[in-house]
Amino acid sequence: MELEVDTRSPVPSYEQIRHQITKLVLTGVLQPGIQLPPIRRLAGHLGLSNGVVARAYKELEREGTVISEGKKGTTIAPRRIPADSGNQNHERDQLLLEGAVKYAALAHSLGFGAPDAQDALKRALDPNFLGAPGSGILDQIVDQVGPTLRRTTSPI
């Protein structure tokens, strides 16, 4: 898991953490049941106060992304079918649209039309496709991400 916090951004640090963890969950990098780093450890790695990370975790728990179990830690919550049009659903929709735009641009740049692009997408979504989660290919990519955590600052 790689998190970056830009301490000079107008976006509060806790919100940057919340957004990035939500994105990792929605894209499948963080699967249900995965334990997040303890607050103190994550805060130390990012060079932030414990309170900033605690607030991010509390926001994630409030929206149903994680489950906090006291001394047992904080884990990614089981997936649920979105029932409301809350903030997480908006982010989820936005991530899907961003991916679709990138995919459409790639297909177009390779000379494929909409029917071919749609066919390739259908094949990729097929659970028997070789690149499907659990098949090994995507798992290897996710494993390469590794547990990298860093704090960044933007140039003045």
Side-chain angles (χ1 to χ4, degrees), residues 85-131:
S85 58
N87 189 36
Q88 188 174 19
N89 288 335
H90 174 71
E91 287 183 45
R92 186 173 172 258
D93 292 345
Q94 198 61 33
L95 285 170
L96 182 61
L97 181 59
E98 288 172 18
V101 168
K102 288 177 186 176
Y103 176 70
L106 174 65
H108 179 73
S109 72
L110 295 172
F112 291 103
D116 291 328
Q118 290 169 343
D119 183 53
L121 184 58
K122 286 178 187 173
R123 283 183 288 152
L125 290 171
D126 183 330
N128 296 319
F129 178 66
L130 291 177

Side-chain angles (χ1 to χ4, degrees), residues 130-151:
L130 291 177
S135 68
I137 296 170
L138 291 180
D139 293 334
Q140 290 173 16
I141 293 168
V142 169
D143 288 343
Q144 290 174 3
V145 172
T148 305
L149 305 167
R150 65 179 175 222
R151 176 181 181 175

